[in-house]
Amino acid sequence: MTKFIFITGGVVSSLGKGISAASIGALLKMHGFHVSLLKIDPYLNVDPGTMSPFQHGEVFVTDDGAETDLDLGHYERFTGETMGRLNNITTGQIYYSVISKERRGDYLGSTVQVIPHITDEIKGSILRLADQDTYDVIICEIGGTVGDIESQPFLEAIRQFPYEVGREHCLFIHLTLIPYLAAAGELKTKPSQHSVRALREIGIQPDILMCRTEHPVSEGNRQKIALFCNVSPNMVFEARDVDDIYKIPLQFSEQGVDRAIIKKLGLDRRAPAVDAWRALVDRITSIHEDLTIGVVGKYIELQDAYKSIYEALRHGAIGNDVHLKIQRIDSETITPETADERLAGLAGILIPGGFGQRGIEGKILAAQFARTRKIPFFGICLGMQVALIEFARNVCGLDGAHSREFNEETPHPVVDLLATQKTITNMGGTMRLGAYTCRLQEGTKAAAAYGAPQVSERHRHRYEVNNKYRPLFEEQGLVLAGTSLDNRLVEMLELPDHPWFIGCQFHPEFKSRPLSPHPLFQGFIGAAKVHARAAQAAAQLGKAEK
Ligand code: GLN
């Protein structure tokens, strides 16, 4: 029988519910349980695929081609499990389905209402995930904050849920904030009392409280929170701020969060195997060498726009025993005049995926800088396309070469719309999405990094390398290191006379994990480390000579 853990959030948003859910998932996995996670997003979009990064942060792509919430990235990274379409529900999907059923006549004779039709649909979606595999536990994270109008139908659905499966199979965890009032020098429990009261008004009594806090919660405060929130004192845990998200599973485990969940749900006891995770944290703490990577993008001020890129870079850094420093560089500030200064001193340059014309010329200049100065370069999706445009213009002499995405009239459309995209008019969920196999050319850096002749990677794009120019690119020394199985799509490119210059049309960042860094990120950071050390040695030599 699958057990269900529901995680709600109180007081404010951005409490780290996703990472808390992922950390609990990681711990249960370490105890040997088969776990999956589900994110519920209360917005009306069917998926985040059409939203701007300003609205939503990164869109996380799954193997099965779903465009999902970035919390699924945390779920995959922390648990090592693969998520898919069924692991993210939105209000948009729920209403879409209910309205389609209504039009089909499935509810013939009835008035279609939020309760029971919408709530039934929500419960059905949770159960659909449970039916997919023999999971021991499904962790379901409700987006938003208790009290939001948008999340009410979801909270009502999870209130009803225990009647579907039995209360003993359900556990409610409420993540709340215990703010610190500096003027009073005190932690304040009142906001949490109110958010739990709001939950209880709906009919949900949390079993466990996780208290997000900057300072330790005293025993007195724990007792007080327990009393006012109607929770046992030993079910009140601390989620104290940490300097590294990968420390959170151990932080939870040290307090016994995992044991409390296991006991409450009546799961059979299994000895936890936290060794690998502890080794990871020990490794992180023992690192003393810094490495600066420049990420050249448009959304540098946003924490979440390139979430998986930043995480994958960290994984590569941990794998190379360096402490990653990311310099976020706004591509709009890179011009021929500023490039040298903006890009100076970087150990490596990464250009992530993206859409739209803004900042594109700055990215092209960054690719040129990396190519000509022999700085390790990693171009992902748009980043690869940009590197190709630069190569076409400056090495192949194709003046005005561009992608048709940015210039319909370019004389040299070296990047063009995928043939399969030409008849598409709807914007939602219509890109080339999800996992496809890429065949790697023997003897390339890409093949060496992967150590395999074929790999599966996730995609999210409408444009591709224009095949017409492939012979010219190859003549000029570009290696098309990876292609689709039918050889009709270029998936990877690299420069052989460069220490590490690789572009890929897919998004390897989605498959990197802290416990197993992605080979391309591992390779890129490895090359950047070599470059940084050589640059440092050269600088020291220069100083000595003076
Ligand atoms: N805009 C480009 C395309 O659609 C690249 C997409 C991306 O970087 N994810 O092909």
Side-chain angles (χ1 to χ4, degrees):
M1 175 72 208
T2 305
K3 309 283 183 177
F4 297 87
I5 299 175
F6 297 100
I7 303 189
T8 53
V11 185
V12 292
S13 59
S14 306
L15 274 186
K17 246 185 310 162
I19 291 177
S20 298
S23 297
I24 290 169
L27 283 173
L28 292 174
K29 176 109 189 267
M30 287 183 236
H31 279 272
F33 297 111
H34 187 22
V35 185
S36 194
L37 292 102
L38 170 65
K39 174 74 193 285
I40 289 181
D41 283 307
Y43 49 70
L44 275 162
N45 302 60
V46 170
D47 63 41
T50 54
M51 275 188 239
S52 142
F54 282 115
Q55 293 287 314
H56 188 270
E58 161 188 283
V59 173
F60 187 81
V61 181
T62 54
D63 269 344
D64 65 0
E67 297 175 280
T68 70
D69 185 69
L70 56 83
D71 276 332
L72 272 74
H74 295 310
Y75 301 167
E76 288 204 349
R77 287 188 284 271
F78 277 76
T79 65
E81 295 290 326
T82 302
M83 303 292 133
R85 202 166 283 289
L86 295 181
N87 298 79
N88 193 187
I89 304 173
T90 67
T91 300
Q93 285 167 24
I94 297 292
Y95 275 80
Y96 198 87
S97 169
V98 168
I99 292 168
S100 306
K101 284 181 185 167
E102 186 276 333
R103 289 290 82 183
R104 235 177 21 230
D106 291 9
Y107 308 116
L108 228 44
S110 322
T111 306
V112 182
Q113 294 176 300
V114 172
I115 306 172
H117 300 96
I118 293 294
T119 47
D120 280 354
E121 191 70 28
I122 295 168
K123 289 185 286 179
S125 299
I126 301 171
L127 290 167
R128 206 166 308 133
L129 177 65
D131 286 343
Q132 191 194 26
D133 205 338
T134 49
Y135 295 116
D136 297 309
V137 184
I138 287 178
I139 302 169
C140 178
E141 176 195 346
I142 319 293
T145 307
V146 170
D148 293 350
I149 290 177
E150 291 93 338
S151 38
Q152 273 178 9
F154 293 106
L155 293 175
E156 168 58 17
I158 65 167
R159 180 199 66 79
Q160 298 170 10
F161 202 82
Y163 293 103
E164 302 275 331
V165 298
R167 179 66 175 96
E168 69 280 21
H169 299 302
C170 298
L171 183 89
F172 291 91
I173 298 180
H174 186 58
L175 178 65
T176 183
L177 178 72
I178 311 288
Y180 177 74
L181 269 196
E186 274 177 30
L187 287 176
K188 290 295 181 191
T189 65
K190 191 81 75 190
S192 297
Q193 297 175 31
H194 283 295
S195 82
V196 172
R197 182 189 299 162
L199 261 185
R200 294 174 67 202
E201 274 167 11
I202 307 166
I204 297 171
Q205 169 62 55
D207 301 294
I208 290 181
L209 289 181
M210 304 289 306
C211 304
R212 183 77 194 268
T213 169
E214 284 174 52
H215 299 281
V217 177
S218 68
E219 189 47 37
N221 269 336
R222 185 194 305 275
Q223 295 287 346
K224 188 171 166 191
I225 295 166
L227 182 68
F228 281 96
C229 298
N230 194 34
V231 174
S232 154
N234 56 12
M235 289 295 205
V236 179
F237 297 97
E238 216 179 73
R240 188 123 48 99
D241 292 1
V242 283
D243 57 0
D244 191 311
I245 55 168
Y246 296 126
K247 290 183 180 165
I248 295 173
L250 296 180
Q251 185 202 50
F252 284 7
S253 177
E254 277 152 17
Q255 298 177 67
V257 175
D258 44 348
R259 291 187 299 281
I261 292 173
I262 287 168
K263 186 157 170 230
K264 187 85 189 169
L265 281 174
L267 288 159
D268 55 328
R269 287 196 151 272
R270 297 176 196 175
V274 291
D275 300 5
W277 209 268
R278 191 168 296 286
L280 172 77
V281 172
D282 288 345
R283 188 169 184 177
I284 293 173
T285 351
S286 69
I287 292 174
H288 298 295
E289 185 177 345
D290 286 347
L291 189 85
T292 308
I293 299 292
V295 174
V296 179
K298 286 196 295 193
Y299 303 103
I300 52 149
E301 72 280 26
L302 303 179
Q303 286 285 352
D304 287 345
Y306 306 116
K307 193 93 202 161
S308 294
I309 295 270
Y310 295 152
E311 290 306 313
L313 282 170
R314 277 211 66 210
H315 305 156
I318 298 166
N320 281 286
D321 296 298
V322 288
H323 175 69
L324 178 72
K325 296 203 147 160
I326 293 178
Q327 196 163 318
R328 306 182 192 176
I329 302 166
D330 181 352
S331 58
E332 281 189 290
T333 65
I334 304 177
T335 63
E337 293 73 39
T338 63
D340 277 13
E341 175 244 325
R342 300 291 289 131
L343 302 168
L346 299 170
I349 294 176
L350 184 147
I351 305 185
F355 299 83
Q357 161 82 31
R358 183 165 69 84
I360 212 72
E361 291 301 325
K363 291 182 187 175
I364 295 174
L365 284 166
Q368 181 180 18
F369 186 90
R371 180 177 62 78
T372 54
R373 309 287 177 97
K374 305 254 189 262
I375 295 163
F377 172 85
F378 197 3
I380 293 177
C381 206
L382 178 66
M384 180 195 93
Q385 297 175 357
V386 153
L388 190 80
I389 295 166
E390 192 278 316
F391 187 85
R393 289 184 189 174
N394 300 325
V395 178
C396 306
L398 302 177
D399 285 345
H402 222 322
S403 162
R404 275 236 166 91
E405 180 178 358
F406 312 121
N407 180 1
E408 279 276 350
E409 307 304 321
T410 169
H412 302 292
V414 291
V415 176
D416 203 353
L417 203 59
L418 282 155
T420 46
Q421 289 286 326
K422 292 196 170 135
T423 51
I424 288 174
T425 49
N426 266 3
M427 294 299 277
T430 55
M431 281 186 249
R432 180 172 183 245
L433 288 167
Y436 289 92
T437 306
C438 165
R439 181 186 288 128
L440 300 168
Q441 191 177 314
E442 233 179 281
T444 56
K445 288 197 189 75
Y450 278 109
Q454 280 186 17
V455 290
S456 169
E457 292 284 6
R458 300 180 189 169
H459 298 68
R460 182 173 186 248
H461 63 119
R462 291 189 202 279
Y463 290 80
E464 60 164 327
V465 175
N466 187 340
N467 286 334
K468 204 175 94 187
Y469 294 91
R470 275 164 71 168
L472 175 64
F473 292 147
E474 287 184 301
E475 240 170 66
Q476 295 295 323
L478 190 73
V479 172
L480 307 177
T483 51
S484 56
L485 284 180
D486 61 9
N487 193 28
R488 280 168 52 185
L489 299 175
V490 173
E491 294 277 15
M492 292 192 79
L493 53 83
E494 65 182 54
L495 290 174
D497 58 351
H498 188 288
W500 211 94
F501 191 105
I502 291 187
C504 52
Q505 188 59 73
F506 46 77
H507 290 271
E509 70 272 23
F510 295 140
K511 290 182 76 170
S512 188
R513 312 273 162 86
L515 296 176
S516 53
H518 190 285
L520 294 179
F521 282 89
Q522 176 76 18
F524 172 57
I525 298 288
K529 184 178 171 181
V530 171
H531 177 83
R533 283 184 174 180
Q536 209 177 17
Q540 261 159 16
L541 199 68
K543 248 193 238 158
E545 278 171 2
K546 273 186 205 160

